[in-house]
Amino acid sequence: MGSPRHAGPDAERLDRLIAHGLGWTRSAAQKAVRRSRVTIDDVWVRDPAAKVPPAARVKVEDVVVPRLDRTVLMMNKQAGSVSANVDASERTVIEDLPDHLRRDDLRIVGRLDKDTTGLLLLTNDGDLLHRLTHPRHGAEKVYILTFEGTLAVDAEARFEAGLTLDDGTICAPAKIAFTGPNQAEVRVHEGKYHQVKRMIAACGGRVTRLERTQMGPLALGADLPRGATRRLTDAEIAALDQAVSAS
Ligand code: URA
């Protein structure tokens, strides 16, 4: 047994690397580390948050954990495409990907409705997907919208208290800020079906245009045209990891 290499800025968290490489949940990976089943370069490690340098070899007992390439894409979704991998009759967001970014193992992180535009993430990292979409981790999503009708005068207070939707579903506390005539910005920490449209309906309005502009630490910049997709930078992935690991 030697000593582990020095972890540089490209080092990856041990529990995350195991979860992604073996398709485990992050908690299963953490359990394996705490039970002394894991080595980094043949050195036993008991800290799930230990940093693994890019060239280091991680083993769970005798099994070498594959270092899978990790892809996280940001799309500026256009209206008219459905958030599905395949669909018999509709154009999908996967079909909107340029050929060089298309791959079979991509999954969509938190769907947007067909007529909703804006920030959509796609990844092959199941653990990251789970953390970003699970309400417990509460990644904030920001939407801008246009609505018709007149919203209840106490809409802000009702959003903050937790709105009750048409079917009795109770939403977690959220925020609405009015940004212009019939325009608003909504901040939520969960992703229920048609959530923003139903929250606005619960206050007496109807959404006519909806765009997601932010998810956790990621903002849709002006540099990504509608319909286009790009890879996240390493710094953006690290910020995402940190946002969902901290919770
Ligand atoms: N809320 C909605 O109502 N629709 C979306 O696409 C996203 C959030």
Side-chain angles (χ1 to χ4, degrees):
M1 299 260 168
S3 55
R5 287 168 228 239
H6 178 68
D10 294 336
E12 198 176 349
R13 242 182 96 112
L14 179 60
D15 54 357
R16 222 211 55 71
L17 184 150
I18 296 171
H20 185 44
L22 298 181
W24 291 5
T25 61
R26 183 93 71 109
S27 61
Q30 289 168 348
K31 229 178 256 172
V33 178
R34 291 205 184 94
R35 290 185 181 160
S36 301
R37 294 174 56 204
V38 175
T39 55
I40 302 176
D41 283 341
D42 296 324
V43 178
W44 295 106
V45 184
R46 299 199 62 183
D47 175 10
K51 294 288 187 199
V52 186
R57 190 179 60 161
V58 173
K59 280 165 77 179
V60 177
E61 290 170 352
D62 286 337
V63 177
V64 175
V65 179
R67 302 290 290 257
L68 298 185
D69 134 65
R70 189 176 180 216
T71 299
V72 190
L73 305 178
M74 180 196 283
M75 171 181 282
N76 183 349
K77 180 187 172 297
Q78 60 185 354
S81 303
V82 295
S83 299
N85 283 61
V86 256
D87 192 285
S89 54
E90 309 269 17
R91 181 174 178 84
T92 69
V93 292
I94 300 294
E95 290 171 77
D96 288 340
L97 290 173
D99 284 346
H100 72 282
L101 292 177
R102 219 179 276 187
R103 41 186 295 167
D104 289 342
D105 57 359
L106 284 177
R107 290 161 65 196
I108 299 159
V109 182
R111 289 151 198 276
L112 292 178
D113 296 337
K114 182 176 169 185
D115 58 354
T116 302
T117 57
L119 200 165
L120 185 67
L121 295 180
L122 301 104
T123 184
N124 66 346
D125 182 341
D127 178 61
L128 179 66
L129 180 140
H130 170 77
R131 284 173 171 261
L132 277 169
T133 50
H134 200 291
R136 184 160 65 88
H137 298 291
E140 185 175 66
K141 275 135 335 216
V142 182
Y143 295 87
I144 53 174
L145 61 94
T146 307
F147 62 92
E148 58 188 27
T150 307
L151 293 202
V153 284
D154 60 349
E156 283 127 318
R158 288 171 63 185
F159 266 70
E160 289 197 17
L163 275 168
T164 303
L165 303 180
D166 47 1
D167 62 354
T169 303
I170 295 172
C171 298
K175 283 198 160 50
I176 183 165
F178 294 97
T179 52
N182 292 82
Q183 287 178 352
E185 180 190 86
V186 166
R187 293 174 178 262
V188 294
H189 290 262
E190 48 186 3
K192 299 187 194 305
Y193 182 64
H194 293 328
Q195 180 160 353
V196 176
K197 291 174 184 167
R198 291 164 72 205
M199 289 169 107
I200 295 294
C203 292
R206 191 178 79 84
V207 171
T208 52
R209 199 183 77 83
L210 183 61
E211 176 179 9
R212 182 157 64 198
T213 56
Q214 210 170 314
M215 275 182 88
L218 297 177
L220 189 66
D223 54 335
L224 191 64
R226 190 78 79 212
T229 304
R230 67 168 175 85
R231 276 179 187 280
L232 292 193
T233 63
D234 290 346
E236 286 172 324
I237 295 180
L240 260 190
D241 276 341
Q242 197 178 352
V244 293
S245 293
S247 44

